[in-house]
Amino acid sequence: MKVIVFHNIKGGVGKTAAAVNIAQLAADDGVPTLLWDLDAQGATSWYFAPETAKARSQPKAAKVVKGKTPIGHLITSTSTSTSTTCLDLIPADPSFRNIDLQLEKHSAGNTLRQWLEPMDEDYGLVILDCPPTLSRLAEEVFAVANKIYVPLVPTWLSMNSWEQQQAFITDRNLDKKKFAPFLSMVDRRKSLHREFLDTPPKALKRLLAGYIPYASDVERMGEHRSAVSHFAPRSTAALAYRLMWDNMKKQLKL
């Protein structure tokens, strides 16, 4: 089982859209996939809108951290799961806004790693969509992940966010080789965006090939409540996500 993370301390950069699209592509390729929405805002959960998640009360973060609720009890199937396609979801819950506090109070060691270990029997890929913070949760997520994919809009403000993240992982003595940035929401009409594409900053080591365009089809995901590949499979955005997933498969050896 591989674990990948989508993370950026800056919001509005296409993090959740990437998590949703990559999860769907992985599942459609026959990889049993679990998508965990760790962001209390719940955008990933909203895209899939599982009725079972709406209908039940989710366990509180404190109960999960204390080990009173098995993590498997949080899992629900998405509407895109079929007899041959497995895409499951752990929906977001408002109580997880306090998960950092709960981790500090109750956990001892790699809690997230312990939670995910039983998933190895059922899933080939676990995708974590993380809140835009640098915190105890982020530290555990970074430690357990095989790869951390960081979406960056081609601007110098995004580069500042990247450098802050890199400083955090250096301070925590985490493996920098796990972190792979990729360009997101790219608008080739803008000269700065074209400059980033032609000559990426030297700080962006291990930059993933290709880029995700600024496209209306990505915004229409909210209308369709699904990945771009399901409602506009021949669009530029769908092809871009497919290229990104193909590169990820090679990196992860899936």
Side-chain angles (χ1 to χ4, degrees):
M1 182 183 76
K2 303 294 186 180
V3 179
I4 67 172
V5 172
F6 288 90
H7 182 276
N8 193 314
I9 62 172
K10 190 177 185 302
V13 296
K15 172 181 63 68
T16 293
V20 168
N21 280 284
I22 295 303
Q24 190 64 69
L25 286 167
D28 290 345
D29 273 1
V31 181
T33 301
L34 174 64
L35 176 57
W36 188 352
D37 190 357
L38 283 164
D39 193 336
Q41 295 182 53
T44 293
S45 306
W46 182 84
Y47 278 125
F48 288 106
E51 295 302 322
T52 51
K54 290 181 178 180
R56 72 186 185 186
S57 176
Q58 290 291 100
K60 301 300 182 184
K63 291 185 177 180
V64 175
V65 175
K66 291 178 183 178
K68 294 182 178 180
T69 299
I71 199 70
H73 288 190
L74 306 182
I75 298 174
T76 183
S77 295
T78 67
S79 58
T80 65
S81 290
T82 66
S83 59
T84 57
T85 301
C86 174
L87 176 54
D88 289 343
L89 175 72
I90 298 182
D93 186 83
S95 72
F96 273 69
R97 289 192 179 94
N98 301 319
I99 193 169
D100 283 304
L101 177 61
Q102 298 299 332
L103 286 170
E104 292 291 348
K105 289 173 62 177
H106 302 294
S107 71
N110 294 314
T111 301
L112 189 61
R113 189 181 300 278
Q114 295 167 0
W115 291 345
L116 291 176
E117 280 178 356
M119 304 296 105
D120 187 50
E121 298 180 6
D122 298 311
Y123 301 102
L125 179 66
V126 175
I127 299 177
L128 308 179
D129 183 20
C130 298
T133 59
L134 291 174
S135 60
R136 170 63 183 274
L137 175 61
E139 188 173 351
E140 290 210 16
V141 163
F142 295 164
V144 76
N146 295 101
K147 279 287 184 181
I148 301 99
Y149 295 102
V150 184
L152 298 172
V153 179
T155 65
W156 294 111
L157 187 59
S158 284
M159 286 302 303
N160 180 58
S161 299
W162 168 256
E163 290 167 1
Q164 289 180 46
Q165 185 193 63
Q166 296 300 289
F168 177 85
I169 65 176
T170 297
D171 182 65
R172 299 303 193 278
N173 197 30
L174 300 170
D175 185 2
K176 285 189 174 183
K177 293 180 181 179
K178 290 183 178 183
F179 290 78
F182 65 92
L183 296 180
S184 176
M185 302 177 67
V186 175
D187 186 347
R188 293 189 63 90
R189 295 171 298 180
K190 297 181 177 180
S191 59
L192 181 57
H193 287 212
R194 294 196 303 272
E195 289 175 14
F196 267 72
L197 288 175
D198 295 339
T199 310
K202 293 181 180 180
L204 295 182
K205 296 179 180 179
R206 296 172 293 279
L207 183 66
L208 206 61
Y211 63 88
I212 305 303
Y214 181 79
S216 60
D217 285 318
V218 178
E219 296 178 349
R220 290 173 58 212
M221 287 172 58
E223 174 187 350
H224 294 272
R225 296 284 183 97
S226 68
V228 177
S229 60
H230 275 209
F231 67 85
R234 297 185 179 180
S235 65
T236 302
L239 294 174
Y241 284 120
R242 166 55 68 180
L243 174 61
M244 186 165 73
W245 168 236
D246 288 343
N247 288 329
M248 290 177 176
K249 281 195 297 185
K250 292 176 182 177
Q251 289 184 344
L252 298 167
K253 298 181 180 180
L254 286 171

